[in-house]
């Protein structure tokens, strides 16, 4: 296990926001909450999957809702702890390790306030290898690990326990509760043994986020183009560079949905997003889509969350391959273009 302090939290926040493909919650807010918890309670230990005993009890933490709302509706900071402790009560025995449900934006850091407050280690792993907008869009679903029970808690001290028959019902019921709670909340779920965690979760993703966040700073110091460095590091490529000329947002209380249009060098790019960027088209031709990563970055290599896209920004769009499990037929059925209502086929980046 290794100790995580304030400097590495900063790297994880940036790298997680890049991997989050525009979603996962505001990384700055997540970093502030995590740093405050570490300041008050001390550093957090991060454990590798190989260090977790078979009989350990692991549970996930993550934000649910529309990230746009969080620009004005800030978390109180105790929601994740409330949800986690209520889940532990439902399970009837102590949870030993905290797991990020996704390595994206704020959600990369959501376990740290829980871990700091309760003196528990965070696993260097997650259930997506990026960010997706729905509860069922995790590798747990591919391996029949249920989000059961699931606890949703808000900043007012309200919490609800949901018992479900499958992970699609977990999404429907948790989303409905979140909308009633003000469109953002924290959830705790996906209890599993240490052996299950080793078998099904995606390893090393917090380390990956940290390395990616540090890479951006190193590229600036060495006067290397940060966006190209990020693309190379992730095994991807730059898809487009230009200016945001229009952002159209849909009215949906459960998600941040919409499209952004970019122009540059006589060409145009259209980005469709639902919390995360789902499809990138250049001059009408699809150049990237879920489950591959579509990352929007500013000139300094800083990730631009989908909810903060605005007219006049100059950005670079980077595409990178997703984790191999999402490229299987089962993975594509769960998180590929058809899962979001698109009729086009998935064309993997790098092939």
């Amino acid at each position: 296990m290794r100790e995580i302090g304030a400097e590495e939290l900063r790297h994880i926040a940036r790298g997680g926001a890049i991997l989050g493909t525009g979603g996962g919650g505001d990384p700055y807010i997540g970093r502030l909450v995590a740093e405050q918890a570490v300041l008050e309670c001390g550093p957090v230990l991060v454990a590798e999957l190989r260090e977790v005993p078979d009989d350990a009890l692991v549970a996930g933490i993550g934000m649910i809702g529309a990230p746009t709302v969080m620009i004005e509706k800030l978390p109180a900071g105790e929601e994740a702890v409330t949800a986690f402790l209520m889940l532990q009560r439902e399970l009837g025995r102590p949870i030993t390790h905290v797991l990020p449900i996704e390595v994206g934006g704020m959600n990369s850091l959501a376990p740290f306030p829980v871990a700091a407050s309760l003196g528990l280690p965070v696993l260097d792993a997650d259930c997506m290898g990026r960010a997706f907008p729905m509860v069922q869009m995790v590798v747990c679903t591919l391996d029949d690990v249920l989000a059961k029970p699931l606890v949703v808690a808000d900043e007012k001290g309200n919490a609800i326990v949901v018992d479900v028959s499958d992970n699609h019902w977990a999404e429907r019921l948790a989303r409905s509760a979140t909308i009633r709670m003000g469109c953002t909340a924290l959830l705790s779920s996906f209890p599993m043994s240490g052996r299950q965690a080793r078998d099904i979760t995606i390893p090393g993703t917090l380390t990956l986020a940290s390395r990616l966040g540090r890479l951006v700073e190193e590229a600036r110091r060495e006067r290397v183009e940060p966006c190209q460095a990020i693309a190379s590091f992730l095994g991807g490529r730059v898809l487009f560079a230009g200016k945001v000329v229009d952002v159209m947002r849909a009215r949906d209380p459960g998600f941040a949905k919409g499209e952004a249009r970019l122009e540059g060098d006589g060409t145009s790019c259209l980005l469709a997003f639902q919390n995360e960027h789902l499809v990138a088209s250049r001059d009408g031709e699809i150049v990237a889509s879920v489950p591959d990563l579509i990352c929007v970055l500013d000139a300094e290599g800083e990730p631009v969350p989908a909810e903060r896209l605005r007219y006049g920004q100059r950005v670079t769009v980077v595409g990178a391959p997703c984790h191999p499990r999402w490229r299987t037929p089962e993975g594509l059925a769960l998180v590929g273009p058809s899962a979001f209502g698109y009729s086009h086929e998935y064309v993997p980046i790098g092939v």
Side-chain angles (χ1 to χ4, degrees):
M1 287 193 285
R2 75 178 193 277
E3 189 177 277
I4 297 290
E7 181 181 1
E8 190 162 1
L9 286 176
R10 185 179 76 248
H11 296 318
I12 293 172
R14 179 187 291 116
I18 295 170
L19 296 172
T21 66
D26 192 306
Y28 178 66
I29 295 171
R31 178 166 66 87
L32 291 181
V33 175
E35 285 178 346
Q36 183 64 30
V38 168
L39 181 64
E40 293 177 356
C41 306
V44 170
L45 294 177
V46 170
E48 296 181 27
L49 285 174
R50 61 180 176 80
E51 300 174 299
V52 181
D54 285 356
D55 61 351
L57 182 56
V58 178
I61 291 286
M63 187 204 83
I64 181 172
T68 309
V69 175
M70 195 170 285
I71 294 174
E72 297 184 3
K73 179 179 175 282
L74 299 177
E78 296 298 322
E79 300 93 318
V81 177
T82 298
F84 187 85
L85 290 177
M86 187 170 288
L87 177 65
Q88 181 172 263
R89 187 186 70 189
E90 291 293 313
L91 294 172
R93 68 185 182 98
I95 301 170
T96 60
H97 295 75
V98 193
L99 173 72
I101 293 176
E102 65 181 20
V103 60
M106 172 183 171
N107 276 337
S108 303
L109 299 174
F112 283 83
V114 175
S117 299
L118 303 179
L120 299 175
V122 175
L123 284 189
D124 187 5
D126 81 304
C127 302
M128 299 182 190
R130 47 158 295 160
F132 287 116
M134 300 182 198
V135 173
Q136 78 275 15
M137 293 178 169
V138 288
V139 289
C140 305
T141 303
L142 301 179
D143 291 290
D144 299 320
V145 173
L146 293 182
K148 176 182 181 176
L150 181 148
V151 181
V152 182
D154 70 7
E155 79 287 354
K156 304 178 187 68
N158 301 309
I160 184 172
V161 179
V162 180
D163 199 3
V164 298
S165 58
D166 62 43
N167 290 344
H168 289 82
W169 270 109
E171 161 62 26
R172 296 184 192 107
L173 297 176
R175 188 74 50 180
S176 297
T178 300
I179 290 171
R180 299 299 295 177
M181 288 175 169
C183 300
T184 61
L186 270 291
L187 69 81
S188 185
S189 191
F190 295 104
M192 65 186 83
S193 69
R195 182 173 183 176
Q196 285 176 308
R198 287 200 305 276
D199 288 344
I200 70 172
T201 62
I202 298 174
T205 47
L206 285 181
T207 296
L208 174 64
S210 178
R211 291 175 60 197
L212 189 55
R214 191 182 300 274
L215 172 73
V216 174
E217 294 186 4
E218 292 173 350
R220 293 174 191 161
R221 284 198 302 269
E222 297 171 7
R223 300 186 183 280
V224 175
E225 209 288 306
C227 298
Q228 186 58 59
I230 290 167
S232 298
F233 180 80
L234 293 175
R237 65 177 186 270
V238 172
L239 302 174
F240 192 85
K243 184 174 75 171
V244 178
V245 296
D246 193 16
V247 180
M248 298 155 283
R249 302 190 186 275
R251 293 175 61 86
D252 189 316
F255 300 98
K257 287 184 178 180
E259 293 182 339
R261 187 160 59 90
L262 287 56
E263 292 183 355
D265 293 332
T267 61
S268 65
C269 175
L270 186 67
L271 297 173
F273 55 85
Q274 180 177 327
N275 290 8
E276 289 75 35
H277 296 294
L278 304 179
V279 180
S281 303
R282 181 166 181 160
D283 290 339
E285 179 183 355
I286 294 170
V287 292
S289 72
V290 283
D292 282 344
L293 283 65
I294 302 170
C295 313
V296 179
L297 313 163
D298 69 13
E300 297 296 314
E302 292 290 343
V304 181
E307 67 270 18
R308 295 191 179 273
L309 279 172
R310 64 182 188 276
Y311 175 82
Q313 287 175 319
R314 293 197 171 273
V315 298
T316 297
V317 181
V318 168
C322 61
H323 188 272
R325 290 209 67 186
W326 296 128
R327 293 186 169 191
T328 64
E330 298 79 13
L332 289 173
L334 185 62
V335 300
S338 63
F340 296 93
Y342 294 103
S343 58
H344 64 80
E345 295 293 323
Y346 165 62
V347 179
I349 289 176
V351 175

